[in-house]
Amino acid sequence: MGTALVYHEDMTATRLLWDDPECEIECPERLTAALDGLRQRGLEERCLCLSACEASEEELGLVHSPEYIALVQKTQTLDKEELHALSKQYNAVYFHPDTFHCARLAAGAALQLVDAVLTGAVHNGLALVRPPGHHSQRAAANGFCVFNNVALAAKHAKQKYGLQRILIVDWDVHHGQGIQYIFNDDPSVLYFSWHRYEHGSFWPFLPESDADAVGQGQGQGFTVNLPWNQVGMGNADYLAAFLHVLLPLAFEFDPELVLVSAGFDSAIGDPELLQVLAGGRICAVLEGGYHLESLAQSVCMMVQTLLGDPTPPLLGLMVPCQSALESIQSVQTAQTPYWTSLQQNVAPVLSSSTHSPEERSLRLLGESPTCAVAEDSLSPLLDQLCLRPAPPICTAVASTVPGAALCLPPGVLHQEGSVLREETEAWARLHKSRFQDEDLATLGKILCLLDGIMDGQIRNAIATTTALATAATLDVLIQRCLARRAQRVLCVALGQLDRPLDLADDGRILWLNIRGKDAAIQSMFHFSTPLPQTTGGFLSLILGLVLPLAYGFQPDMVLMALGPAHGLQNAQAALLAAMLRSPVGGRILAVVEEESIRLLARSLAQALHGETPPSLGPFSKATPEEIQALMFLKARLEARWKLLQVAAPPP
Ligand code: X5A
Ligand code: ZN
């Protein structure tokens, strides 16, 4: 089980034969650059490499008309002038005598990838193809695209495997109008696209690329367009879109398969946040991406992530720009009638008058008129990210419970080493009454785990403690992180874990306690909220609060503590751990009180290891109390934590 890479070098054959500045960027070197990058970084050899085969005419007929297929087939025999003349009948397209062969290979590669994932041969994969597909329509080539590879893959998954819910995420910078048209009235395919729009003045200049295009008939609410109206969208803008639009809808939709129209003409491809969906069944198919170096690096990042390596943390100011927030609000407005998860997010529980004057002025001060993240530093940044070595140990465990009782997945290492006895005792003295003598051995191991993570020897870890010692252990861990000069430590503490008395409130520790009945705020860095009982409420807590805070805080370490009476179910703990990996580059130490560890250990370890968490179960709407608690916190915290904003403040 792993990651498939589907490719055929014949797909480098098609190329532009005449002068056309618009089309010349879609060149054979795109594929060779991407493949060279994968080879140089040793990523190709980690994949299951499949050689692409041509899609059959019958398969192409799943999307395209017989006349159109025949017309493309005929281009094999045309001379240059005839090819040029035919190309001009379409928008931004060129044909070459090898176009038919390449386009059939591209479509075939997408279908093979779906087969590999749905037969269980692999978890996920990438099809490296050209020509791209997402602009192509039933009877028309468009925007360098000849056959619609991703649409064909979706039809194939429906027809051959009987799938009923497929999510297509199109992160190419251009709107994939072809996919939108093909599934416009089809509720079994949720098409999500973000794209540069600039109020309609960016190619393909279509009104139906705007947020108010939601699909038709049965398909209403299953087309989701997020148009960007300014250039220079950065990490914070994409994150806000992921957390406040795409992921809530995706969890509610509950896809059986995720297809990614992976164009790298927009941003770094990061499927990490998608890997929690559809049991991890992700098929990515290359679309655009014309800057060869950036394309190669993005493809490498994408494959690394598909392979299960945590993505490096995102850098830059985590403040979405005004224009991005407006776009997000426009898609929320258009989609709210169709999606319960959005209805609970935008519920106007608090009006703006509940902000105190200081909070309001803070908000105003914090509002930046420009898009904050500069993209020109991308290239050195990516170099640095890809070079960071993976820790030799992926997930390690130190447990007060016998290892055999935990049913851990293979590949998890039991921590034997410990810090020195005197050192352990010195730390334990901070909380003398809480540590029994027999706890000291475990504490020594846990401290050693923490050191291993901070030194890059271990990616992440699970530790168990007695119920009495959990809070004290967490406090010791926080202190040790600070002593080792961690700059920012995120603590997500569930259950009865009191905030350590002398916890610094200087911005180095973000303390979130999930427990009790009411939300409460001590400061912009210390607060608590109840654990929702519905799946909708739980997802809103994670996507709408915990992750925006985690990404905004940019921690170098996450401590996730499950204390007495934490109340978290298996699937919830796994999802929380899986999703917290991404803002911290995987560096999580989970501390669990031993009563519940037998039930949780396996899925927690799997999640930390990069496997997809089990399903939360059927979607249930958040209760009014749950929404109220979240709104209470968000309204007060958004002055400091700008990723919490779901909508632009009123002008
Ligand atoms: C697949 C893709 C872009 C066409 C742009 C035409 N097509 N100006 O990125
Ligand atoms: Zn594109």
Side-chain angles (χ1 to χ4, degrees):
M1 288 297 274
T3 296
L5 186 65
V6 195
Y7 177 73
H8 196 294
E9 73 167 304
D10 282 4
M11 282 185 283
T12 57
T14 181
R15 63 191 166 84
L16 182 64
L17 296 175
W18 49 85
D19 225 33
D20 180 349
E22 188 176 22
C23 288
E24 69 191 8
I25 54 177
E26 205 293 288
C27 61
E29 290 73 27
R30 296 178 59 233
L31 285 191
T32 42
L35 204 66
D36 285 349
L38 290 172
R39 289 189 176 142
Q40 274 164 25
R41 291 171 180 83
L43 292 166
E44 188 199 25
E45 61 191 35
R46 291 173 63 192
C47 294
L48 175 69
C49 292
L50 301 175
S51 176
C53 300
E54 291 187 336
S56 67
E57 268 172 55
E58 195 188 329
E59 287 166 335
L60 296 175
L62 288 169
V63 164
H64 299 285
S65 71
E67 299 75 25
Y68 175 66
I69 298 169
L71 181 126
V72 181
Q73 178 164 24
K74 205 189 68 192
T75 61
Q76 294 177 104
T77 60
L78 300 184
D79 66 24
K80 187 170 143 186
E81 275 62 47
E82 291 166 321
L83 289 167
H84 194 171
L86 180 65
S87 302
K88 279 196 285 194
Q89 293 184 24
Y90 298 102
N91 184 348
V93 170
Y94 69 86
F95 287 104
H96 176 278
D98 290 323
T99 292
F100 185 59
H101 177 50
C102 292
R104 279 178 66 173
L105 283 174
L111 304 186
Q112 270 167 274
L113 181 54
V114 166
D115 287 333
V117 167
L118 292 182
T119 57
V122 288
H123 272 303
N124 57 33
L126 171 68
L128 271 184
V129 303
R130 57 188 288 273
H134 70 153
H135 300 302
S136 139
Q137 296 147 40
R138 178 171 155 80
N142 183 284
F144 316 154
C145 301
V146 177
F147 297 132
N148 200 313
N149 309 317
V150 167
L152 285 162
K155 290 270 191 187
H156 178 73
K158 284 178 59 168
Q159 192 213 36
K160 184 162 170 192
Y161 299 90
L163 295 201
Q164 292 175 340
R165 290 179 314 280
I166 298 168
L167 170 65
I168 298 178
V169 178
D170 185 339
W171 69 45
D172 188 282
V173 79
H174 304 99
H175 179 224
Q177 85 280 30
I179 303 181
Q180 174 170 315
Y181 299 156
I182 291 160
F183 299 109
N184 205 31
D185 58 5
D186 184 346
S188 67
V189 176
L190 172 55
Y191 174 66
F192 175 93
S193 172
W194 59 38
H195 40 265
R196 183 165 162 190
Y197 187 59
E198 295 178 85
H199 302 286
S201 60
F202 190 71
W203 195 92
F205 318 109
L206 300 168
E208 61 267 35
S209 305
D210 209 347
D212 59 357
V214 297
Q216 273 176 345
Q218 292 289 300
Q220 277 185 45
F222 295 94
T223 292
V224 181
N225 285 331
L226 175 43
W228 299 127
N229 287 317
Q230 274 183 8
V231 292
M233 292 301 162
N235 287 334
D237 307 299
Y238 287 109
L239 268 175
F242 254 100
L243 298 174
H244 300 311
V245 183
L246 173 56
L247 287 175
L249 300 196
F251 273 105
E252 186 174 345
F253 182 62
D254 188 22
E256 299 156 299
L257 175 70
V258 179
L259 302 175
V260 180
S261 267
F264 296 106
D265 40 14
S266 58
I268 314 172
D270 175 6
E272 187 158 34
L273 284 171
L274 297 176
Q275 282 174 321
V276 295
L277 300 168
R281 287 182 289 274
I282 302 182
C283 298
V285 182
L286 182 65
E287 300 281 1
Y290 308 102
H291 181 288
L292 296 182
E293 190 197 357
S294 151
L295 171 68
Q297 286 172 323
S298 304
V299 165
C300 288
M301 288 269 277
M302 167 110 200
V303 169
Q304 259 188 305
T305 309
L306 290 172
L307 283 164
D309 298 356
T311 45
L314 299 173
L315 306 173
L317 195 58
M318 284 299 156
V319 181
C321 68
Q322 179 75 13
S323 172
L325 291 171
E326 281 164 14
S327 295
I328 288 171
Q329 188 171 44
S330 69
V331 62
Q332 285 172 331
T333 304
Q335 297 292 340
T336 294
Y338 311 105
W339 296 96
T340 307
S341 50
L342 293 184
Q343 290 156 15
Q344 57 189 39
N345 273 347
V346 294
V349 174
L350 292 171
S351 70
S352 55
S353 61
T354 58
H355 292 288
S356 70
E358 318 97 70
E359 278 169 336
R360 189 186 298 277
S361 62
L362 261 179
R363 273 161 63 97
L364 289 174
L365 276 178
E367 243 168 56
S368 78
T370 54
C371 296
V373 182
E375 293 294 340
D376 44 356
S377 56
L378 192 66
S379 196
L381 182 68
L382 278 168
D383 274 338
Q384 179 199 331
L385 301 176
C386 292
L387 289 174
R388 182 204 290 259
I393 298 163
C394 187
T395 301
V397 169
S399 177
T400 49
V401 176
L406 299 181
C407 302
L408 292 167
V412 174
L413 183 110
H414 285 274
Q415 175 70 24
E416 299 301 338
S418 166
V419 301
L420 293 176
R421 179 81 186 185
E422 302 88 84
E423 204 178 343
T424 310
E425 281 172 0
W427 283 107
R429 236 169 275 135
L430 284 177
H431 296 280
K432 223 170 165 177
S433 59
R434 299 294 186 103
F435 291 109
Q436 313 288 306
D437 267 354
E438 57 270 27
D439 295 334
L440 285 184
T442 317
L443 183 63
K445 287 184 188 175
I446 298 175
L447 293 174
C448 198
L449 284 180
L450 180 72
D451 290 358
I453 296 173
M454 293 191 73
D455 296 337
Q457 295 299 307
I458 303 174
R459 178 158 285 149
N460 49 43
I462 300 174
T464 75
T465 63
T466 59
L468 181 71
T470 314
T473 304
L474 184 57
D475 187 30
V476 167
L477 289 170
I478 293 169
Q479 300 307 329
R480 191 170 173 94
C481 283
L482 294 180
R484 295 210 40 176
R485 275 182 278 167
Q487 302 201 356
R488 284 176 303 278
V489 182
L490 169 62
C491 292
V492 182
L494 288 110
Q496 292 164 9
L497 293 169
D498 290 331
R499 184 162 52 110
L501 282 176
D502 51 355
L503 193 66
D505 192 16
D506 56 4
R508 287 187 297 167
I509 298 150
L510 180 57
W511 169 270
L512 169 61
N513 195 188
I514 302 174
R515 74 184 296 182
K517 280 179 73 85
D518 296 305
I521 299 188
Q522 288 84 40
S523 78
M524 283 291 157
F525 291 88
H526 299 171
F527 35 88
S528 58
T529 184
L531 177 66
Q533 298 303 310
T534 59
T535 50
F538 183 75
L539 285 167
S540 283
L541 170 65
I542 303 300
L543 302 177
L545 186 77
V546 178
L547 288 176
L549 291 169
Y551 277 105
F553 187 52
Q554 299 170 303
D556 25 37
M557 183 76 197
V558 168
L559 301 173
M560 171 178 162
L562 307 188
H566 60 73
L568 220 53
Q569 291 156 13
N570 239 334
Q572 295 175 323
L575 182 69
L576 181 59
M579 299 204 84
L580 281 173
R581 292 168 82 222
S582 117
V584 72
R587 286 187 303 282
I588 302 181
L589 176 53
V591 182
V592 186
E593 61 81 26
E594 62 189 16
E595 299 293 301
S596 59
I597 189 63
R598 283 184 175 78
L599 289 172
L600 288 173
R602 188 177 172 83
S603 45
L604 198 56
Q606 283 172 331
L608 288 174
H609 212 255
E611 285 174 47
T612 306
S615 158
L616 291 177
F619 186 89
S620 58
K621 192 174 179 168
T623 66
E625 294 74 31
E626 291 169 353
I627 296 172
Q628 187 117 28
L630 279 173
M631 289 294 161
F632 170 85
L633 283 178
K634 289 171 77 159
R636 284 161 183 77
L637 294 173
E638 72 175 22
R640 169 67 182 73
W641 304 103
K642 298 291 181 181
L643 279 174
L644 291 174
Q645 290 174 300
V646 288

